[in-house]
Amino acid sequence: MQSLWSDADAKRMVERYAQQGVGRDLALRVYTSRLLGGEPKLVLHGGGNTSVKTVTKDLLDEEVVVLCVKGSGWDMAAIEPAGLPAVRLAPLRKLRQRGALDDEEMVRVQRANLIDPGAPNPSVETLLHAFLPHKYVDHTHSTAVLSLADQPDAAERCTDLYRKRLGLVPYIMPGFRLAKKAAEVFEGDPAVEGLVLLKHGIFTFGETAQEAYERMISAPPRRCGRGGRGGADLARCLRDR
């Protein structure tokens, strides 16, 4: 999968949204979200979500650190800034101290901390985005990654292929428990470029929109590592183990 990033297109996106009062961080988040959303091999049936941590002004015109994360009902291929509702970041991160949090309460907390109370519900995976420290976080359900992550011996296969480039997160239903576990896996090796969520999908992240995006598109396996005995394509890798 080749990068579709264009400095010129990114600049035009930033300039276009600046005229609407949208900052550079969010404009670039929209730009790369669309690049990801336009690739069916990454977002089958419209799945996936993206986020950026930035600063905005609340309804009292005071600056606040927020997480702008894909909202419910939006398609990444055509997303607009309104499709990435801003949520106060500090309260979200504070939730990590809890031992348990059910989905209903999680949604209530997220909605209570929206900058715009009329915005759509943030993604069910908002806390996973919040608990990771990176500025830009991308999540897709890459079909190529899932062809490995859905296998009975997925952990072995992914470890063989990605080595220490990507961390592995065991399967947990999306929500609070998954967010905590993903953060723990990342903190176990902060050098990783992303996380493979077994039987679920993949997260990549970076300090720039381009870095997070290009880590995502380079993650789908093209060749099987097989302990350094590469040369097989993915189909052979799946067949021969």
Side-chain angles (χ1 to χ4, degrees):
M1 196 174 296
Q2 296 205 344
S3 175
L4 298 179
W5 174 276
S6 162
D7 288 340
D9 288 347
K11 181 180 178 182
R12 279 193 289 270
M13 185 74 79
V14 169
E15 292 173 346
R16 170 190 165 190
Y17 282 117
Q19 297 174 8
Q20 302 174 27
V22 174
R24 175 183 175 83
D25 291 346
L26 184 53
L28 291 176
R29 176 69 289 173
V30 169
Y31 174 58
T32 53
S33 295
R34 290 183 182 180
L35 294 182
L36 294 172
E39 175 48 70
K41 294 177 182 177
L42 294 177
V43 291
L44 188 65
H45 305 307
N49 41 70
T50 56
S51 70
V52 61
K53 299 174 181 74
T54 187
V55 175
T56 192
K57 288 189 176 182
D58 64 14
L59 296 180
L60 299 177
D61 205 34
E62 296 179 348
E63 288 194 341
V64 58
V65 179
V66 296
L67 175 76
C68 295
V69 62
K70 179 178 173 290
S72 176
W74 281 84
D75 180 355
M76 286 207 296
I79 201 163
E80 294 284 347
L84 292 148
V87 192
R88 294 176 185 273
L89 183 58
L92 298 182
R93 286 185 162 167
K94 190 174 182 179
L95 290 174
R96 193 176 171 192
Q97 301 170 14
R98 295 199 185 183
L101 182 69
D102 64 35
D103 288 350
E104 182 177 346
E105 182 67 9
M106 180 180 71
V107 171
R108 288 180 64 205
V109 173
Q110 290 174 180
R111 285 212 59 82
N113 285 283
L114 283 168
I115 297 300
D116 177 1
N121 281 337
S123 166
V124 69
E125 287 160 330
T126 292
L127 293 185
L128 204 163
H129 287 263
F131 291 172
L132 292 170
H134 311 81
K135 186 175 183 69
Y136 288 90
V137 178
D138 296 353
H139 171 47
T140 75
H141 301 148
S142 164
T143 52
V145 172
L146 285 172
S147 68
L148 291 179
D150 279 349
Q151 299 299 315
D153 57 348
E156 180 187 355
R157 292 176 186 269
C158 291
T159 298
D160 188 32
L161 178 65
Y162 292 117
R163 307 295 167 159
K164 293 187 176 182
R165 181 183 165 204
L166 300 177
L168 298 183
V169 181
Y171 178 74
I172 302 172
M173 283 286 290
F176 177 67
R177 289 180 56 242
L178 176 60
K180 287 191 71 169
K181 185 62 177 179
E184 290 169 6
V185 171
F186 167 74
E187 289 165 358
D189 185 1
V192 296
E193 299 177 0
L195 301 170
V196 174
L197 278 56
L198 300 182
K199 302 186 183 300
H200 181 155
I202 179 172
F203 277 77
T204 56
F205 26 71
E207 291 312 303
T208 68
Q210 182 177 5
E211 182 177 46
Y213 163 70
E214 293 186 340
R215 285 176 170 179
M216 178 61 73
I217 64 168
S218 69
R222 293 180 294 274
R223 309 182 81 82
C224 172
R226 303 210 50 189
R229 300 189 297 265
D233 62 15
L234 177 59
R236 179 179 169 191
C237 176
L238 293 172
R239 183 180 68 246
D240 291 350
R241 287 214 66 118

